[in-house]
Amino acid sequence: MAEKTVRVEVEAGVAVMTVSRPERVNAFDLDMLKALDAACDAVETNSDVRVAIITGEGKSFSAGGDIKAWAGMKPEEFGHQWVRYGHRVFERLATLRVPLIAALNGHALGGGLELAACADVRIAESQIRIGLPETGLGMVPGWSGTQRLVKRFGAQIVRRMVLGGEMFSAEEARANGLVDHVVETASALAEARTYAARVATRGPAALEISKLMIAVANGEDNGAGVEALGSILVAKTGDLKEGVAAFSEKRPAAFKGEW
């Protein structure tokens, strides 16, 4: 079942999303993309969730897109059903209302690194490798590898991975800003839970608004964040209450400039 390929477990305000296709090193097919989309729904609609973690089942975080899942697609199918849909799902993950921590328990390659880049904080185990090997297959990163990664990590490090095919160890990745913390093997999820518990003690409204403002400052936002902030502010005003009441009562609104 598709939903079993991305599990969501919530405890003490922390949602853990586990990508679970270990027999294919957690490589994504369309069903997994749909399951990740559903996992985002589960997190977004659960008001008890203060922070989220994404990790992988087994020894890999994610090897990215499963070649068997897309290799036989027609070009238009590949562009629309695979690349554009995956891009939308990853964008949802990157713009979750709550802070997101990636617990990199294994290699994060191609789409796996693009998945990790959606997180606000990345905690990597010392044995992992990170890279964008797509051009070695004659293709390009398609799930924001040349967009979000450049904005978050800088163009030169992305050039080295995409054009030169360079792979980085966890320590090299930390030195280049690709991950935030390096921990011992088999401890990424535990460390992520500890970090998440600290985040969960902070003001949830302040966290959500701060995350939006940081995205805008970093050039990642297409205007949705600004409109969300404005809408949240307006929703609390007396003027909106008056406008809705006037509409319901079929009368002219008497706005007073009330916040």
Side-chain angles (χ1 to χ4, degrees):
M1 296 292 289
E3 61 270 18
K4 293 183 179 179
T5 60
V6 181
R7 300 192 308 273
V8 180
E9 300 165 297
V10 179
E11 183 179 353
V14 179
V16 178
M17 296 180 282
T18 304
V19 178
S20 181
R21 200 179 175 219
E23 72 281 2
R24 297 292 297 169
V25 288
N26 297 329
F28 276 80
D29 59 11
L30 282 174
D31 280 345
M32 282 186 69
L33 288 174
K34 293 175 183 177
L36 183 58
D37 204 6
C40 289
D41 283 337
V43 171
E44 287 283 10
T45 58
N46 188 338
S47 60
D48 293 331
V49 174
R50 299 289 184 88
V51 59
I53 297 169
I54 187 159
T55 192
E57 183 79 22
K59 297 182 179 181
S60 178
F61 178 70
S62 175
D66 190 337
I67 296 175
K68 290 185 177 180
W70 57 260
M73 290 183 175
K74 296 177 181 178
E76 63 272 19
E77 293 174 336
F78 180 69
H80 291 90
Q81 297 179 22
W82 183 255
V83 176
R84 293 190 68 180
Y85 179 59
H87 205 284
R88 290 197 301 272
V89 174
F90 278 32
E91 183 68 14
R92 286 203 67 195
L93 191 67
T95 57
L96 283 177
R97 63 174 179 81
V98 298
L100 176 64
I101 302 166
L104 306 184
N105 58 300
H107 300 334
L109 304 174
L113 178 52
E114 291 167 319
L115 178 67
C118 294
D120 299 294
V121 176
R122 280 158 291 283
I123 298 174
E125 293 180 8
S126 59
Q127 82 283 1
I128 76 161
R129 304 280 287 176
I130 279 177
L132 294 170
E134 287 91 339
T135 54
L137 296 172
M139 65 178 295
V140 298
W143 292 340
S144 212
T146 61
Q147 305 301 308
R148 181 176 298 109
L149 268 68
V150 167
K151 290 173 181 174
R152 294 197 171 187
F153 307 136
Q156 191 56 32
I157 194 66
V158 176
R159 284 190 183 99
R160 290 172 62 185
M161 290 188 287
V162 174
L163 306 182
E166 292 188 48
M167 303 278 287
F168 297 105
S169 68
E171 287 294 350
E172 290 170 332
R174 177 168 60 178
N176 285 285
L178 295 169
V179 303
D180 300 290
H181 305 284
V182 176
V183 298
E184 294 180 358
T185 298
S187 66
L189 181 56
E191 293 290 343
R193 287 184 184 277
T194 298
Y195 197 99
R198 181 169 65 186
V199 174
T201 65
R202 309 178 83 80
L207 287 173
E208 182 176 355
I209 292 172
S210 295
K211 181 171 174 174
L212 280 170
M213 291 193 298
I214 291 168
V216 171
N218 202 40
E220 298 177 33
D221 183 78
N222 62 3
V226 173
E227 292 182 350
L229 288 171
S231 297
I232 291 169
L233 177 61
V234 169
K236 297 179 180 294
T237 65
D239 275 359
L240 177 62
K241 294 177 182 177
E242 167 60 17
V244 172
F247 177 82
S248 299
E249 297 165 10
K250 297 182 173 56
R251 60 172 174 81
F255 294 122
K256 299 178 181 178
E258 293 180 345
W259 288 79

